[in-house]
Amino acid sequence: MDNRPREIVVISGKGGTGKTSISASLAYLSQDCIVADCDVDAADLYLLLKPISIERQDFYSGHIAEINQEKCAGCGICKDLCRFDAIKANNNAKFSVEPSSCEGCKVCVEFCPEKAIDFPERLCGEWMKSETRVGFMVHAKLGIAAENSGKLVALIRSEAKKLAQEKDKKLIIIDGPPGIGCPVIASITGATDVLVVTEPTLSGIHDLERVLSLANHFRIKPYICINKFDLNLDMSEKIESVAKELGAKVIGKIRYDKLVTKAQIEAKTIVESNIPSAQDIIDMWERLKVN
Amino acid sequence: MTLAVASGKGGTGKTTIATNLAMVAAEKYGQVTLLDCDVEEPNSHIFIKGTKIKEEIVNIKIPEVDESICTECGACSNFCQYNAIMSLKGKPVVFKEMCHSCGGCTLVCQPKAIHEVDHRIGLINFYSLGKINLIDGLLDVGSPLSPPLIGAVKKLEGKDTLNIIDAPPGTSCPVIEAIKDADYIILVTEPTPFGLNDLVLAVEVSRKLNKKFAVAINRVGSGDDRVHRYCKDENIPIILEIPDDRRIAELYSNGKTILDNLPEYRKSFEEVLTKIGVVIQNGQ
Ligand code: SF4
Ligand code: SF4
Ligand code: SF4
Ligand code: SF4
């Protein structure tokens, strides 16, 4: 029997559609889940859930080149070979690596005739296990200008799964990243359920189409939530027909509610603050729960 | 001169500001190049409804192994830092989606069994609307690597025109690629806890890259004054404030610009350009 926990990943093609507020609300409603923040670029979930961390670990990913100035003979071979334009000439006739451009490919390290280039592991941030009022949480802080958020996303998901097994939880709720690139791919591959939060705007539809074709690419059938659906009813209708065409199901519609910001300022989830849109999220949760 | 519009999180109004600024700048200074580097979700073209001139396919170089020369020595797969070429029962197999196109495997292969071939990662679309050239990158669905495509879009900056970059959201590799060569950055945010949290990260990035920057606050009045206080404490200029106006949200939802429809906001966009022009000239 398959007893791996159900994993609901909340994503949105477009940023700023309310993904984090909705994920937090679902976690609150479930009452018994592990919650994880995989939007590591804009990790905002902690602002609502106020986690108290019980464990922290450094996150290393890949390597970075560093030129030892004493050994460098200034031949410039490394600069010629680096395809990421990460090596610059210094004014002392030697060369150095620009860390934010280095992709850690190792080419310069391998071909420096003086063996002058070190290749240490790269510290990219840290990740935490925490306790919150809605349950355990796994989250991270990606270093500024760090790479590989896809790897960090994969790590957070696997730690959340381990924690679910340990604590005997049947559900993981994940606040996923926006877009369709590497972090999103890392967050939805192998997930049991994907919920796409969109908004009734032309940009929203455009991005939704892209995210749905990404889901198709990975053979995932996502659910759709239209946030602020009453901001533009024509667009909301269009979303429903786009969803139908692409084999996705609209599972919730949330009204435009200015008080969501107030809830955010009070560090509460939408469903904890008694505001109009809370009911729409509760209705959606009832449907999601049994699906 | 290149101006980048960025934000720590998505949905703050980056595209709204970039497109409206491009329109004002075109009226004031003539030719403007708007580069949409938000290649995962490029949306500027929804607002700048130009005529499509052409499109170009963007490829990266990936390895291809000539099996008749390969000695199955494994040097390529040992070298690759991204597991993009792996020895399966001795034979090297390339995983296209993982390849960063570093060229390393080709260089380490002694018998010269590897040559490089094109692998498509996306498209660049060229549009024209009056004095605005809009160039947008569109990442292929399923292709994980946006920085090379962003790099390709940036190469198309106009030499003598003002360039405006609509950057991707966040603070990691794609953003760095988009803004690292800009002369000035506008960081767009909202007056909310999320907005402030993500702004602080975006400010750290801009400082780390040694950039001149200012903040634009969107939906002023929807939250509280925490972003204003932060900017004051940190001595960061606020270059633009857009009030929380449902009409703006509705225009946006229909793909319409502020400039064409709400003339009362025109002045604030004009001022942004004047202020930035002064800063750049004085080299502050
Ligand atoms: S290849 Fe080595 S010796 Fe030559 S410039 Fe680079 S670091 Fe210096
Ligand atoms: S490791 Fe690769 S990307 Fe980094 S500096 Fe060396 S050649 Fe360039
Ligand atoms: S080009 Fe670089 S990343 Fe691509 S397979 Fe070769 S070594 Fe790996
Ligand atoms: S390095 Fe060259 S010869 Fe060796 S396994 Fe790779 S392709 Fe074959």
Side-chain angles (χ1 to χ4, degrees), chain A residues 118-164:
Chain A
D118 293 330
F119 200 49
E121 273 193 292
R122 184 176 197 140
L123 179 62
C124 289
E126 56 172 0
W127 65 273
M128 286 83 71
K129 273 185 208 167
S130 304
E131 277 179 62
T132 78
R133 65 183 183 283
V134 308
F136 289 96
M137 170 167 176
V138 185
H139 52 127
K141 193 167 176 354
L142 190 66
I144 290 300
E147 318 236 344
N148 269 319
S149 38
K151 272 193 194 158
L152 185 51
V153 165
L155 176 82
I156 294 175
R157 277 182 69 199
S158 88
E159 290 299 329
K161 263 180 222 157
K162 273 193 229 156
L163 200 58

Short mmCIF file of all heavy atoms in Angstrom, two decimals, chain A residues 118-164:
data_model
loop_
_atom_site.label_atom_id
_atom_site.label_comp_id
_atom_site.label_asym_id
_atom_site.label_seq_id
_atom_site.Cartn_x
_atom_site.Cartn_y
_atom_site.Cartn_z
N ASP A 118 41.65 27.41 -6.36
CA ASP A 118 40.97 26.55 -5.38
C ASP A 118 39.51 26.41 -5.77
O ASP A 118 38.96 27.25 -6.49
CB ASP A 118 41.06 27.18 -3.98
CG ASP A 118 42.49 27.20 -3.48
OD1 ASP A 118 43.26 26.31 -3.87
OD2 ASP A 118 42.84 28.12 -2.71
N PHE A 119 38.87 25.38 -5.20
CA PHE A 119 37.50 25.08 -5.62
C PHE A 119 36.66 24.64 -4.42
O PHE A 119 36.15 23.52 -4.37
CB PHE A 119 37.56 23.99 -6.69
CG PHE A 119 36.34 23.89 -7.56
CD1 PHE A 119 35.79 25.03 -8.15
CD2 PHE A 119 35.76 22.66 -7.84
CE1 PHE A 119 34.68 24.94 -8.97
CE2 PHE A 119 34.65 22.56 -8.66
CZ PHE A 119 34.11 23.70 -9.23
N PRO A 120 36.53 25.52 -3.41
CA PRO A 120 35.80 25.11 -2.20
C PRO A 120 34.30 24.97 -2.45
O PRO A 120 33.77 25.52 -3.41
CB PRO A 120 36.06 26.27 -1.23
CG PRO A 120 36.31 27.45 -2.11
CD PRO A 120 36.98 26.92 -3.34
N GLU A 121 33.65 24.25 -1.54
CA GLU A 121 32.19 24.15 -1.61
C GLU A 121 31.60 25.52 -1.37
O GLU A 121 32.17 26.35 -0.67
CB GLU A 121 31.70 23.19 -0.53
CG GLU A 121 31.70 21.75 -0.98
CD GLU A 121 30.91 20.89 -0.02
OE1 GLU A 121 31.38 20.73 1.13
OE2 GLU A 121 29.83 20.41 -0.39
N ARG A 122 30.42 25.72 -1.93
CA ARG A 122 29.83 27.05 -1.87
C ARG A 122 28.70 27.08 -0.84
O ARG A 122 27.74 26.32 -0.93
CB ARG A 122 29.27 27.34 -3.25
CG ARG A 122 28.69 28.70 -3.41
CD ARG A 122 28.29 28.88 -4.86
NE ARG A 122 28.10 30.29 -5.12
CZ ARG A 122 28.48 30.90 -6.23
NH1 ARG A 122 29.04 30.22 -7.19
NH2 ARG A 122 28.28 32.19 -6.38
N LEU A 123 28.81 27.98 0.12
CA LEU A 123 27.76 28.15 1.12
C LEU A 123 26.64 28.98 0.48
O LEU A 123 26.86 30.12 0.09
CB LEU A 123 28.32 28.87 2.35
CG LEU A 123 27.32 29.13 3.48
CD1 LEU A 123 26.78 27.82 4.04
CD2 LEU A 123 27.95 29.96 4.58
N CYS A 124 25.45 28.39 0.37
CA CYS A 124 24.38 29.09 -0.35
C CYS A 124 23.27 29.58 0.56
O CYS A 124 22.33 30.21 0.10
CB CYS A 124 23.78 28.18 -1.41
SG CYS A 124 24.89 27.91 -2.78
N GLY A 125 23.34 29.23 1.84
CA GLY A 125 22.26 29.66 2.73
C GLY A 125 22.12 28.68 3.87
O GLY A 125 23.04 27.93 4.17
N GLU A 126 20.96 28.69 4.50
CA GLU A 126 20.72 27.74 5.58
C GLU A 126 19.27 27.30 5.53
O GLU A 126 18.42 27.98 4.96
CB GLU A 126 21.05 28.37 6.93
CG GLU A 126 20.30 29.64 7.21
CD GLU A 126 20.49 30.15 8.63
OE1 GLU A 126 21.21 29.51 9.41
OE2 GLU A 126 19.88 31.18 8.96
N TRP A 127 19.02 26.13 6.12
CA TRP A 127 17.63 25.68 6.18
C TRP A 127 17.30 25.30 7.60
O TRP A 127 18.17 24.98 8.40
CB TRP A 127 17.36 24.56 5.19
CG TRP A 127 18.09 23.29 5.46
CD1 TRP A 127 19.34 22.95 5.03
CD2 TRP A 127 17.62 22.18 6.22
NE1 TRP A 127 19.68 21.72 5.49
CE2 TRP A 127 18.64 21.22 6.21
CE3 TRP A 127 16.42 21.90 6.90
CZ2 TRP A 127 18.50 19.99 6.87
CZ3 TRP A 127 16.28 20.69 7.55
CH2 TRP A 127 17.32 19.75 7.52
N MET A 128 16.02 25.39 7.94
CA MET A 128 15.59 25.23 9.32
C MET A 128 14.40 24.28 9.44
O MET A 128 13.56 24.22 8.55
CB MET A 128 15.11 26.58 9.88
CG MET A 128 16.17 27.59 10.21
SD MET A 128 16.77 28.57 8.81
CE MET A 128 15.46 29.64 8.40
N LYS A 129 14.34 23.60 10.60
CA LYS A 129 13.12 22.92 11.02
C LYS A 129 12.57 23.73 12.17
O LYS A 129 13.34 24.10 13.07
CB LYS A 129 13.44 21.52 11.54
CG LYS A 129 13.51 20.45 10.49
CD LYS A 129 13.71 19.11 11.16
CE LYS A 129 14.45 18.19 10.21
NZ LYS A 129 14.95 16.98 10.87
N SER A 130 11.29 24.00 12.15
CA SER A 130 10.73 24.88 13.17
C SER A 130 9.38 24.37 13.65
O SER A 130 8.75 23.53 13.02
CB SER A 130 10.54 26.29 12.61
OG SER A 130 11.75 26.79 12.12
N GLU A 131 8.95 24.95 14.78
CA GLU A 131 7.60 24.70 15.25
C GLU A 131 6.77 25.95 15.04
O GLU A 131 7.27 27.06 15.24
CB GLU A 131 7.62 24.34 16.75
CG GLU A 131 7.93 22.89 16.99
CD GLU A 131 7.96 22.56 18.48
OE1 GLU A 131 6.91 22.73 19.13
OE2 GLU A 131 9.03 22.16 18.96
N THR A 132 5.52 25.76 14.63
CA THR A 132 4.61 26.90 14.46
C THR A 132 3.28 26.52 15.06
O THR A 132 3.06 25.36 15.43
CB THR A 132 4.37 27.23 12.98
OG1 THR A 132 3.43 26.29 12.45
CG2 THR A 132 5.64 27.20 12.15
N ARG A 133 2.37 27.49 15.11
CA ARG A 133 1.06 27.19 15.68
C ARG A 133 0.23 26.25 14.79
O ARG A 133 -0.78 25.73 15.22
CB ARG A 133 0.29 28.47 15.96
CG ARG A 133 -0.06 29.29 14.72
CD ARG A 133 -0.76 30.59 15.10
NE ARG A 133 -1.17 31.35 13.94
CZ ARG A 133 -0.36 32.09 13.19
NH1 ARG A 133 0.93 32.16 13.48
NH2 ARG A 133 -0.82 32.76 12.15
N VAL A 134 0.66 26.05 13.53
CA VAL A 134 -0.09 25.12 12.68
C VAL A 134 0.62 23.78 12.52
O VAL A 134 0.13 22.90 11.82
CB VAL A 134 -0.39 25.70 11.28
CG1 VAL A 134 -1.03 27.07 11.40
CG2 VAL A 134 0.86 25.79 10.43
N GLY A 135 1.76 23.61 13.13
CA GLY A 135 2.49 22.35 13.01
C GLY A 135 3.95 22.60 12.69
O GLY A 135 4.43 23.74 12.75
N PHE A 136 4.66 21.55 12.34
CA PHE A 136 6.08 21.70 12.03
C PHE A 136 6.28 22.34 10.67
O PHE A 136 5.49 22.13 9.76
CB PHE A 136 6.79 20.34 12.08
CG PHE A 136 6.93 19.81 13.47
CD1 PHE A 136 6.01 18.90 13.98
CD2 PHE A 136 7.98 20.25 14.28
CE1 PHE A 136 6.13 18.43 15.27
CE2 PHE A 136 8.10 19.76 15.57
CZ PHE A 136 7.17 18.86 16.07
N MET A 137 7.38 23.07 10.55
CA MET A 137 7.64 23.78 9.31
C MET A 137 9.10 23.57 8.90
O MET A 137 9.99 23.55 9.74
CB MET A 137 7.37 25.27 9.54
CG MET A 137 7.81 26.20 8.42
SD MET A 137 7.08 27.83 8.69
CE MET A 137 7.81 28.74 7.34
N VAL A 138 9.31 23.39 7.59
CA VAL A 138 10.67 23.33 7.05
C VAL A 138 10.82 24.52 6.12
O VAL A 138 9.96 24.75 5.26
CB VAL A 138 10.92 22.03 6.28
CG1 VAL A 138 12.38 21.94 5.85
CG2 VAL A 138 10.55 20.81 7.11
N HIS A 139 11.88 25.30 6.30
CA HIS A 139 12.04 26.50 5.47
C HIS A 139 13.51 26.83 5.34
O HIS A 139 14.36 26.13 5.89
CB HIS A 139 11.21 27.66 6.03
CG HIS A 139 11.43 27.95 7.48
ND1 HIS A 139 11.76 29.19 7.96
CD2 HIS A 139 11.39 27.14 8.56
CE1 HIS A 139 11.88 29.14 9.27
NE2 HIS A 139 11.67 27.91 9.67
N ALA A 140 13.81 27.88 4.59
CA ALA A 140 15.21 28.16 4.32
C ALA A 140 15.44 29.64 4.11
O ALA A 140 14.51 30.42 3.89
CB ALA A 140 15.67 27.40 3.08
N LYS A 141 16.71 29.99 4.19
CA LYS A 141 17.10 31.35 3.85
C LYS A 141 18.23 31.19 2.84
O LYS A 141 19.30 30.70 3.17
CB LYS A 141 17.56 32.07 5.10
CG LYS A 141 17.69 33.56 4.94
CD LYS A 141 17.83 34.20 6.32
CE LYS A 141 18.07 35.69 6.32
NZ LYS A 141 18.28 36.45 5.14
N LEU A 142 17.94 31.58 1.61
CA LEU A 142 18.94 31.47 0.56
C LEU A 142 19.86 32.68 0.67
O LEU A 142 19.39 33.79 0.88
CB LEU A 142 18.24 31.46 -0.79
CG LEU A 142 19.06 31.11 -2.02
CD1 LEU A 142 19.52 29.67 -1.97
CD2 LEU A 142 18.26 31.35 -3.29
N GLY A 143 21.16 32.44 0.54
CA GLY A 143 22.09 33.56 0.60
C GLY A 143 21.82 34.53 -0.54
O GLY A 143 21.27 34.17 -1.57
N ILE A 144 22.21 35.78 -0.33
CA ILE A 144 22.04 36.80 -1.36
C ILE A 144 22.83 36.42 -2.60
O ILE A 144 23.99 36.05 -2.50
CB ILE A 144 22.52 38.15 -0.80
CG1 ILE A 144 21.56 38.63 0.26
CG2 ILE A 144 22.70 39.17 -1.89
CD1 ILE A 144 20.17 38.85 -0.23
N ALA A 145 22.18 36.50 -3.73
CA ALA A 145 22.84 36.23 -5.01
C ALA A 145 23.32 34.78 -5.13
O ALA A 145 24.18 34.48 -5.93
CB ALA A 145 24.00 37.18 -5.24
N ALA A 146 22.75 33.89 -4.32
CA ALA A 146 23.19 32.49 -4.38
C ALA A 146 22.51 31.78 -5.55
O ALA A 146 21.49 32.21 -6.05
CB ALA A 146 22.86 31.78 -3.09
N GLU A 147 23.10 30.68 -5.96
CA GLU A 147 22.57 29.92 -7.08
C GLU A 147 21.78 28.73 -6.57
O GLU A 147 21.65 28.53 -5.38
CB GLU A 147 23.72 29.37 -7.92
CG GLU A 147 24.81 30.36 -8.11
CD GLU A 147 25.11 30.59 -9.56
OE1 GLU A 147 24.67 29.77 -10.38
OE2 GLU A 147 25.73 31.59 -9.87
N ASN A 148 21.28 27.95 -7.55
CA ASN A 148 20.79 26.63 -7.19
C ASN A 148 19.60 26.61 -6.29
O ASN A 148 19.49 25.76 -5.42
CB ASN A 148 21.90 25.86 -6.49
CG ASN A 148 22.70 25.08 -7.49
OD1 ASN A 148 22.14 24.51 -8.40
ND2 ASN A 148 24.00 25.09 -7.34
N SER A 149 18.68 27.54 -6.44
CA SER A 149 17.51 27.45 -5.58
C SER A 149 16.74 26.16 -5.87
O SER A 149 16.04 25.67 -5.01
CB SER A 149 16.63 28.68 -5.67
OG SER A 149 16.57 29.16 -6.97
N GLY A 150 16.93 25.58 -7.05
CA GLY A 150 16.29 24.30 -7.36
C GLY A 150 16.75 23.20 -6.42
O GLY A 150 15.95 22.40 -5.94
N LYS A 151 18.05 23.18 -6.14
CA LYS A 151 18.57 22.15 -5.22
C LYS A 151 18.05 22.35 -3.81
O LYS A 151 17.77 21.40 -3.10
CB LYS A 151 20.10 22.21 -5.19
CG LYS A 151 20.72 21.36 -6.26
CD LYS A 151 22.21 21.18 -6.00
CE LYS A 151 22.86 20.62 -7.24
NZ LYS A 151 24.29 20.89 -7.27
N LEU A 152 17.94 23.61 -3.41
CA LEU A 152 17.44 23.90 -2.07
C LEU A 152 15.97 23.48 -1.96
O LEU A 152 15.55 22.91 -0.96
CB LEU A 152 17.63 25.39 -1.76
CG LEU A 152 17.26 25.86 -0.36
CD1 LEU A 152 17.93 25.02 0.71
CD2 LEU A 152 17.64 27.33 -0.17
N VAL A 153 15.21 23.74 -3.01
CA VAL A 153 13.81 23.32 -3.05
C VAL A 153 13.71 21.80 -2.88
O VAL A 153 12.92 21.30 -2.07
CB VAL A 153 13.16 23.76 -4.39
CG1 VAL A 153 11.85 23.04 -4.62
CG2 VAL A 153 12.95 25.27 -4.41
N ALA A 154 14.55 21.07 -3.60
CA ALA A 154 14.52 19.61 -3.51
C ALA A 154 14.87 19.16 -2.09
O ALA A 154 14.25 18.25 -1.54
CB ALA A 154 15.49 19.00 -4.52
N LEU A 155 15.84 19.83 -1.48
CA LEU A 155 16.25 19.49 -0.13
C LEU A 155 15.10 19.73 0.87
O LEU A 155 14.81 18.88 1.72
CB LEU A 155 17.47 20.32 0.26
CG LEU A 155 17.96 20.14 1.69
CD1 LEU A 155 18.84 18.91 1.79
CD2 LEU A 155 18.72 21.34 2.18
N ILE A 156 14.45 20.88 0.75
CA ILE A 156 13.36 21.20 1.68
C ILE A 156 12.24 20.17 1.55
O ILE A 156 11.70 19.68 2.54
CB ILE A 156 12.82 22.62 1.43
CG1 ILE A 156 13.90 23.63 1.77
CG2 ILE A 156 11.58 22.89 2.27
CD1 ILE A 156 13.51 25.05 1.46
N ARG A 157 11.93 19.82 0.31
CA ARG A 157 10.86 18.83 0.13
C ARG A 157 11.23 17.49 0.75
O ARG A 157 10.40 16.86 1.40
CB ARG A 157 10.58 18.63 -1.36
CG ARG A 157 9.64 19.67 -1.93
CD ARG A 157 9.34 19.41 -3.39
NE ARG A 157 8.52 18.22 -3.60
CZ ARG A 157 8.44 17.60 -4.77
NH1 ARG A 157 9.12 18.03 -5.81
NH2 ARG A 157 7.66 16.55 -4.91
N SER A 158 12.48 17.08 0.59
CA SER A 158 12.79 15.76 1.12
C SER A 158 12.86 15.80 2.65
O SER A 158 12.46 14.85 3.31
CB SER A 158 14.06 15.19 0.47
OG SER A 158 15.19 15.60 1.17
N GLU A 159 13.29 16.93 3.21
CA GLU A 159 13.29 17.04 4.69
C GLU A 159 11.85 17.07 5.22
O GLU A 159 11.56 16.52 6.28
CB GLU A 159 14.05 18.29 5.14
CG GLU A 159 15.56 18.20 4.93
CD GLU A 159 16.21 17.05 5.71
OE1 GLU A 159 15.72 16.69 6.80
OE2 GLU A 159 17.24 16.52 5.22
N ALA A 160 10.97 17.74 4.47
CA ALA A 160 9.56 17.79 4.91
C ALA A 160 8.97 16.38 4.89
O ALA A 160 8.21 16.01 5.78
CB ALA A 160 8.77 18.73 4.00
N LYS A 161 9.34 15.59 3.89
CA LYS A 161 8.84 14.22 3.81
C LYS A 161 9.34 13.37 4.98
O LYS A 161 8.59 12.62 5.60
CB LYS A 161 9.28 13.56 2.50
CG LYS A 161 8.20 13.63 1.46
CD LYS A 161 8.64 12.99 0.17
CE LYS A 161 8.16 13.88 -0.96
NZ LYS A 161 8.92 13.72 -2.19
N LYS A 162 10.64 13.53 5.28
CA LYS A 162 11.20 12.77 6.40
C LYS A 162 10.48 13.12 7.69
O LYS A 162 10.14 12.26 8.49
CB LYS A 162 12.69 13.12 6.57
CG LYS A 162 13.62 12.28 5.72
CD LYS A 162 15.06 12.48 6.18
CE LYS A 162 15.97 12.76 5.00
NZ LYS A 162 17.18 13.48 5.35
N LEU A 163 10.25 14.44 7.85
CA LEU A 163 9.60 14.91 9.07
C LEU A 163 8.17 14.36 9.16
O LEU A 163 7.70 13.98 10.22
CB LEU A 163 9.61 16.44 9.07
CG LEU A 163 9.41 17.14 10.40
CD1 LEU A 163 10.47 16.74 11.40
CD2 LEU A 163 9.44 18.66 10.20
N ALA A 164 7.50 14.31 8.01
CA ALA A 164 6.14 13.79 7.99
C ALA A 164 6.13 12.33 8.43
O ALA A 164 5.26 11.91 9.20
CB ALA A 164 5.54 13.92 6.59
#
